[in-house]
Amino acid sequence: MTEQGTFYQFPEGFLWGSSTSGPQSEGIEPGDGKGLNNWDYWFGIEPERFHGQIGPDVTSTFYKNYQTDIELLKETGHTIFRPSIQWSRLIPDGVGQVNPRAVEFYRDVFQQVNALGIKLLVNLYHFDLPYALQEKGGWESKETVWAYEAYARKCFELFGDLVDHWVTFNEPIVPVECGYLGSYHYPCKVDAKAAVAVAYHTQLASSLAVKACHELHPDHQISIVLNLTPAYPRSDSPEDQKAARIAELFQTKSFLDPSVLGAYPEELVAIIDEYGLRPDVTEEELAIIRENTVDFLGVNYYQPLRVQAPKVIFEEGDLLTTEHFFTSYDMPGKKINPHRGWEIYERGLYDIAMNLKKDYGNIVWLVTENGMGVEGEEAFKEDGYIQDDYRIEFIQDHLIELHRAIQEGANCKGYMLWTFIDCWSWLNAYKNRYGLVELDLSTQKRIIKKSGYWFKEVSQANGFSR
Ligand code: BGP
């Protein structure tokens, strides 16, 4: 204890930083050679689906302003940074020709980050499929798996001298849920069989990228980033418990088990078979998954998954959805971020850590996203900058749980926020701001928030007092 309370000291070498993604930060510039991706296309045909009818063309102008933005990484205490490469920028048609301007851009970004002594973790896929591949069936087709493998290899060849830590996919379950079981990502289908095929193909692609990375650069480390939300049942009743178990199988273990353990859980496979959802799976592909597990894991954590036994009554012929197996549970009295509508439950991070320790060989992992999206932050502006004490408190509360887990043996090596500069957020456009740095949309000016200065102090002290 100090006069200010407890000092939460993190282990030596613990990394502090943030994540962003190409489609949410780069923007499109005339003549940049970028091809259309699924988001550019969808915004073109249905702009009304996007908050304020604002699409992904401007975002936070990182493509234009990366040189000054990278300086801000240093000023906000980053020792690690996770950007993503946009497949549609590097290979505009998804396969074939490489865009030389993209190579130049990404090489320059990586060189500048390296020059500042900031560790790079580069993600290959953040919900952004080149539209040319989407048109041919997207992830429902195995063609996309082979195209992704070639794209990943190209990235390892082109940038492997500058980057040695990689991510195959960010939150691969999200496009499955939102694009094939719901209507929040293109192609907005409700088709359980397609959803299972998309999930399987994505996993196969990820395992092939792990294989390619290890073949080309045996000394590089590669991971997958998963949103590992624990499923908490509404009650101890066997029905609610079963619902939670199935929710976790679908939403967590569907990628966690094959990526880390090399195999799908038997109960998940049994459910898929029972409902006739098995895609075309070969023994050779299963061997690729078995033999190419990740070196470490990225974990994104925002909110827990609370579930109860299914509440919806289905009629013969109704489409099969997750509602057949579980219903989400709106727990009374929960703490909530009202802007995003997400529950805040810091303890979830501790539970994730203990689960990885117990059931996943205590694999090395990092928190790759955690953060608080807030609307109307200008209201908190005083003396020319945003005084976001609520964000500092949110981060501290999560770090305290993470610290407790590390004390108990969790193998977590870093904490990364979403995100460093306010950026464009899929369907919510600029509604909720997450950054350590404010982005003024009318002038494109960047102003460090109070949390940005605080985060630098935390990084320098490798801990904080509270
Ligand atoms: C994660 C995504 C990020 C980011 C974040 C915040 O799931 O990996 O891309 O967007 O969520 O969510 P949102 O932008 O929807 O508020």
Side-chain angles (χ1 to χ4, degrees):
M1 293 277 276
T2 67
E3 269 180 19
Q4 296 155 292
T6 304
F7 185 78
Y8 294 91
Q9 176 77 60
F10 281 75
E12 209 187 317
F14 194 79
L15 296 161
W16 300 95
S18 72
S19 291
T20 185
S21 79
Q24 292 175 275
S25 66
E26 289 172 10
I28 301 168
E29 284 298 308
D32 65 5
K34 182 186 163 320
L36 276 188
N37 66 26
N38 46 352
W39 292 93
D40 305 318
Y41 174 80
W42 190 22
F43 178 68
I45 57 166
E46 284 190 287
E48 65 284 358
R49 294 295 311 269
F50 295 72
H51 180 79
Q53 302 218 11
I54 299 169
D57 43 344
V58 177
T59 65
S60 51
T61 63
F62 184 71
Y63 187 80
K64 202 158 61 182
N65 292 306
Y66 69 94
Q67 294 179 329
T68 45
D69 283 357
I70 290 171
E71 295 292 326
L72 288 168
L73 291 175
K74 198 80 196 165
E75 286 178 44
T76 48
H78 282 65
T79 54
I80 185 167
F81 178 51
R82 176 174 72 114
S84 82
I85 295 173
Q86 286 200 78
W87 186 352
S88 60
R89 182 180 296 287
L90 190 70
I91 306 177
D93 295 327
V95 288
Q97 282 289 313
V98 169
N99 169 14
R101 270 152 296 178
V103 178
E104 208 180 300
F105 165 66
Y106 289 120
R107 285 196 65 83
D108 211 27
V109 168
F110 300 154
Q111 259 154 2
Q112 288 202 32
V113 175
N114 284 339
L116 292 175
I118 297 168
K119 196 171 184 59
L120 269 174
L121 175 58
V122 173
N123 175 23
L124 299 177
Y125 192 92
H126 204 117
F127 309 161
D128 55 325
L129 184 66
Y131 183 66
L133 294 173
Q134 183 71 59
E135 240 183 339
K136 292 191 225 150
W139 287 105
E140 283 180 69
S141 157
K142 273 195 191 159
E143 290 305 311
T144 299
V145 177
W146 319 134
Y148 172 90
E149 184 194 12
Y151 155 67
R153 270 185 193 274
K154 190 51 82 186
C155 291
F156 304 142
E157 279 165 19
L158 288 168
F159 310 117
D161 58 327
L162 301 172
V163 179
D164 61 4
H165 281 72
W166 301 92
V167 173
T168 59
F169 285 86
N170 176 75
E171 299 188 355
I173 195 67
V174 170
V176 175
E177 278 186 280
C178 295
Y180 294 87
L181 293 169
S183 178
Y184 301 101
H185 283 203
Y186 193 76
C188 307
K189 286 187 179 178
V190 178
D191 180 342
K193 200 164 165 62
V196 173
V198 167
Y200 174 64
H201 292 158
T202 310
Q203 177 60 53
L204 179 60
S206 175
S207 306
L208 283 164
V210 171
K211 183 168 183 278
C213 177
H214 288 154
E215 279 168 9
L216 286 166
H217 303 291
D219 55 327
H220 287 193
Q221 302 259 300
I222 185 157
S223 68
I224 189 166
V225 166
L226 302 177
N227 45 324
L228 291 188
T229 309
Y232 299 99
R234 173 179 179 272
S235 75
D236 287 343
S237 77
E239 296 78 13
D240 286 343
Q241 300 269 340
K242 182 178 174 198
R245 203 176 65 246
I246 296 183
E248 213 158 276
L249 278 176
F250 286 175
Q251 267 149 316
T252 303
K253 296 187 172 180
S254 53
F255 283 99
L256 181 60
D257 283 32
S259 291
V260 176
L261 306 176
Y264 283 99
E266 279 172 23
E267 192 179 1
L268 177 63
V269 176
I271 295 172
I272 300 254
D273 282 343
E274 187 187 335
Y275 287 86
L277 303 174
R278 185 183 274 249
D280 169 35
V281 175
T282 68
E283 275 311 312
E284 199 192 349
E285 291 164 1
L286 291 178
I288 289 168
I289 292 173
R290 196 167 51 244
E291 288 157 16
N292 295 284
T293 52
V294 291
D295 301 312
F296 68 102
L297 199 64
V299 175
N300 292 354
Y301 178 67
Y302 291 90
Q303 56 171 341
L305 177 64
R306 296 201 187 270
V307 296
Q308 55 190 326
K311 287 270 172 287
V312 184
I313 315 260
F314 283 92
E315 310 276 332
E316 178 87 30
D318 280 354
L319 290 172
L320 184 67
T321 69
T322 53
E323 291 281 333
H324 279 80
F325 303 95
F326 58 88
T327 298
S328 66
Y329 170 53
D330 188 5
M331 187 178 77
K334 67 187 180 190
K335 182 155 108 180
I336 192 161
N337 167 6
H339 309 280
R340 189 61 180 83
W342 285 346
E343 180 180 347
I344 299 176
Y345 184 64
E346 303 85 356
R347 159 84 197 232
L349 204 46
Y350 172 84
D351 290 344
I352 291 171
M354 290 301 120
N355 182 34
L356 292 177
K357 182 177 171 210
K358 184 169 144 288
D359 293 333
Y360 295 90
N362 208 15
I363 186 169
V364 170
W365 62 286
L366 297 113
V367 176
T368 34
E369 285 184 34
N370 178 227
M372 190 184 188
V374 173
E375 190 171 2
E377 280 202 304
E378 314 78 53
F380 297 94
K381 218 168 198 172
E382 260 174 60
D383 303 327
Y385 71 113
I386 291 170
Q387 313 265 340
D388 50 348
D389 293 283
Y390 43 87
R391 180 167 289 110
I392 295 173
E393 194 182 313
F394 175 99
I395 300 171
Q396 285 181 343
D397 289 345
H398 284 84
L399 283 174
I400 289 171
E401 285 297 315
L402 186 61
H403 185 267
R404 181 159 75 97
I406 293 171
Q407 298 280 299
E408 293 177 29
N411 214 354
C412 179
K413 303 292 184 199
Y415 175 83
M416 304 168 78
L417 279 168
W418 185 265
T419 184
F420 97 110
I421 297 182
D422 293 336
C423 67
W424 180 82
S425 265
W426 316 113
L427 296 189
N428 282 326
Y430 299 107
K431 179 177 167 290
N432 304 315
R433 306 305 190 84
Y434 285 87
L436 292 172
V437 179
E438 177 200 358
L439 174 70
D440 182 321
L441 292 180
S442 51
T443 60
Q444 292 296 329
K445 201 167 159 203
R446 280 85 160 130
I447 307 167
I448 299 179
K449 300 179 194 176
K450 185 172 177 182
S451 58
Y453 293 109
W454 173 80
F455 197 69
K456 185 175 187 181
E457 283 171 20
V458 174
S459 166
Q460 286 176 338
N462 202 25
F464 64 95
S465 290
R466 200 168 83 165

